[in-house]
């Protein structure tokens, strides 16, 4: 097996085989695939070991869910790894009050790392739009945008949203936002258009499939067929991921927001927790095919030229999340850092 080829996919395979032999020495180009690094487990390896795993995989983009000191400290000196951090949901209300409050947050949580951590994105809140605290997102985004601009920092400011914003998602051209999403999300999208910053979206075909496994074909949900399953006008869809992605694109267009880039901050498939819908094999097929889809550079039927960039969820199984599938989205076992399944 040639372990010196370029793709993240192949590296996964190689690492799966070679994890016992350290220093396999992958030297590879950046890809458009990142990994989420969640911390809701009591058996996770220390951050320094996790960074070594990322280095061995040549992963160049990581997303963490807050600004945890020991994790960010571990990234010091690894400037080739881009790090996306979140403003925590529970901080949004207090920060929405003034730019001064946001500046204090920035000085405390971001500034200490700027010299030697490559912070690429700050996501203001995770999946809070649409919802009770959704209206706090935009003022905090505006303050942070002013702060990074005034310091000429190359940090992008956005927010992460779930597909619950869609009232209609099928067929994709019928994509439309719910009323509360329209109220809270549309102004955010318009602001992002002005700064040409991607909206961050979490897309999980798994949940749609699990809600209706009788009527939805598994192969369509896991990118495992070349057959057109959904024909939408001139656009033919072979997989559910593209349908959901494009429904969001259509919904944005209906709000007058055209050509706004999207980054997929989360996608994945659990390897356990829901019977035969969540096996290591199915999870492996989904994640492998997602990476292939991204690496093909083909984009989606509605955006065939722009490609997709995305983060797989997640690095590790996290045992302090709700029991069941939520604990089983990891690619790696936290206790021995071995892959839970091969990415093929
Ligand atoms: C920071 O990370 C981004 C995203 O991976 C990358 O494009 C950029 O080159 C990195 N910066 C440095 C200094 O390596
Ligand atoms: C799961 O098991 C049920 C009952 O045996 C079967 O009908 C279904 O096709 C299986 N689904 C998958 C994805 O294997």
């Amino acid at each position: 097996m040639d372990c010196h080829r370029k793709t993240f996919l192949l590296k996964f395979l190689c690492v799966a085989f070679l994890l016992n032999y350290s220093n396999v020495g992958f030297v590879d180009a950046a890809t458009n695939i990142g990994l989420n690094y969640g911390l809701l487990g009591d058996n996770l390896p220390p951050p320094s070991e996790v960074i070594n795993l990322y280095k061995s995989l040549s992963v160049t983009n990581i997303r963490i869910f807050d600004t945890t000191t020991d994790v960010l400290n571990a990234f010091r000196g690894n400037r080739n790894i881009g790090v996306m951090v979140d403003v925590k949901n529970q901080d949004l209300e207090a920060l929405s009050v003034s730019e001064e409050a946001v500046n204090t947050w920035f000085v405390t949580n971001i500034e200490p790392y700027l010299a030697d951590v490559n912070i690429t994105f700050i996501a203001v809140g995770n999946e809070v739009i649409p919802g009770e605290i959704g209206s706090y997102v935009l003022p905090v985004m505006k303050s942070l945008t002013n702060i990074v601009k005034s310091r000429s920092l190359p940090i992008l400011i956005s927010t992460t949203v779930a597909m619950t914003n869609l009232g209609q998602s099928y067929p994709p051209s019928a994509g439309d936002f719910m009323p509360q999403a329209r109220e809270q999300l549309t102004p955010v999208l318009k602001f992002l258009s002005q700064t040409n910053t991607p909206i961050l979206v979490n897309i999980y075909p798994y949940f749609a499939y699990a809600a209706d496994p009788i009527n939805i074909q598994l192969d369509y949900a896991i990118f495992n067929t070349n057959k057109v399953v959904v024909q939408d006008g001139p656009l033919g869809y072979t997989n559910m991921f593209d349908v959901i992605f494009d429904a969001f694109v259509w919904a944005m267009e209906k709000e007058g927001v055209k050509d706004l880039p999207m980054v997929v901050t989360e996608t994945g498939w659990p390897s356990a927790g829901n019977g035969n819908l969540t096996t290591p094999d199915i999870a492996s097929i989904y994640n492998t095919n997602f990476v292939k889809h991204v690496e093909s550079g083909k984009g989606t039927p509605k955006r065939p030229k722009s490609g997709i960039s995305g983060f797989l969820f997640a690095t590790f199984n996290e045992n302090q999340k709700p029991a069941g599938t939520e604990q089983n989205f990891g690619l790696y076992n936290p206790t021995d850092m071995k892959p839970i399944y091969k990415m093929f």
Side-chain angles (χ1 to χ4, degrees):
M1 182 176 33
D2 175 6
C3 282
H4 295 275
R5 294 247 309 270
K6 283 238 151 96
T7 68
F8 182 74
L9 190 62
L10 199 66
K11 274 179 286 191
F12 252 112
L13 177 67
C14 292
V15 170
F17 274 93
L18 298 177
L19 203 77
N20 291 323
Y21 314 95
S22 54
N23 299 322
V24 284
F26 304 115
V27 184
D28 285 301
T31 75
N32 292 319
I33 296 284
L35 288 182
N36 281 276
Y37 177 11
L39 295 173
L40 298 178
D42 62 12
N43 57 356
L44 296 172
S48 57
E49 283 180 26
V50 179
I51 302 223
N52 285 337
L53 173 69
Y54 292 145
K55 284 186 185 166
S56 75
L57 295 165
S58 301
V59 171
T60 51
N61 283 290
I62 295 299
R63 174 174 176 235
I64 59 178
F65 291 84
D66 54 37
T67 49
T68 311
T69 317
D70 57 342
V71 171
L72 280 175
N73 277 332
F75 277 102
R76 285 188 194 276
N78 295 294
R79 289 198 55 93
N80 56 329
I81 302 179
V83 181
M84 179 186 289
V85 303
D86 275 15
V87 177
K88 280 190 256 181
N89 295 352
Q90 62 264 39
D91 293 342
L92 293 176
E93 183 173 7
L95 295 178
S96 70
V97 173
S98 68
E99 188 169 321
E100 209 185 316
V102 177
N103 196 54
T104 303
W105 178 90
F106 187 88
V107 167
T108 311
N109 293 286
I110 302 295
E111 194 166 81
Y113 306 101
L114 286 177
D116 43 15
V117 180
N118 180 6
I119 296 173
T120 49
F121 262 101
I122 301 175
V124 176
N126 183 27
E127 300 193 347
V128 295
I129 292 178
E132 244 172 76
I133 59 170
S135 59
Y136 300 132
V137 170
L138 186 56
V140 179
M141 278 176 61
K142 284 183 171 166
S143 296
L144 270 175
T145 303
N146 287 340
I147 291 163
V148 299
K149 254 197 207 151
S150 69
R151 293 160 175 254
S152 305
L153 294 168
I155 300 175
L156 297 174
I157 310 298
S158 190
T159 184
T160 307
V161 297
M163 292 301 110
T164 48
N165 282 284
L166 292 169
Q168 262 302 341
S169 62
Y170 184 90
S173 62
D176 210 356
F177 292 129
M178 309 212 307
Q180 193 181 24
R182 192 164 289 127
E183 199 180 291
Q184 295 178 340
L185 183 59
T186 300
V188 166
L189 297 171
K190 297 208 155 146
F191 179 70
L192 290 172
S193 299
Q194 288 164 23
T195 56
N196 196 35
T197 302
I199 181 72
L200 310 173
V201 296
N202 296 342
I203 296 182
Y204 284 101
Y206 165 72
F207 290 111
Y209 172 69
D212 191 7
I214 305 288
N215 293 307
I216 298 173
Q217 298 168 34
L218 181 63
D219 282 345
Y220 160 74
I222 62 176
F223 307 92
N224 209 29
T225 173
N226 294 320
K227 268 200 324 236
V228 169
V229 176
V230 173
Q231 187 69 45
D232 187 10
L235 306 180
Y237 290 85
T238 60
N239 69 78
M240 187 190 258
F241 175 90
D242 285 352
V243 165
I244 300 171
F245 187 104
D246 281 358
F248 198 90
V249 174
W250 280 104
M252 289 199 293
E253 285 192 2
K254 283 171 196 153
E255 302 301 303
V257 176
K258 296 215 162 77
D259 305 322
L260 184 65
M262 284 159 62
V263 168
V264 180
T265 29
E266 289 178 29
T267 193
W269 198 285
S271 62
N274 189 13
N276 64 355
L277 309 188
T278 52
T279 64
D281 276 350
I282 298 175
S284 166
I285 294 169
Y286 180 84
N287 285 322
T288 300
N289 285 339
F290 175 72
V291 174
K292 280 185 185 164
H293 190 44
V294 168
E295 292 198 333
S296 77
K298 278 197 208 127
T300 63
K302 182 144 173 70
R303 287 190 167 175
K305 294 205 180 95
S306 55
I308 296 167
S309 53
F311 292 73
L312 288 175
F313 189 88
T315 307
F316 298 110
N317 277 345
E318 294 171 69
N319 67 3
Q320 291 173 325
K321 299 194 92 175
T325 55
E326 291 287 332
Q327 294 190 354
N328 290 290
F329 274 89
L331 300 174
Y332 290 89
N333 188 347
T335 50
D336 58 9
M337 294 179 75
K338 295 231 161 97
I340 290 167
Y341 42 80
K342 280 182 278 179
M343 289 281 283
F344 273 80

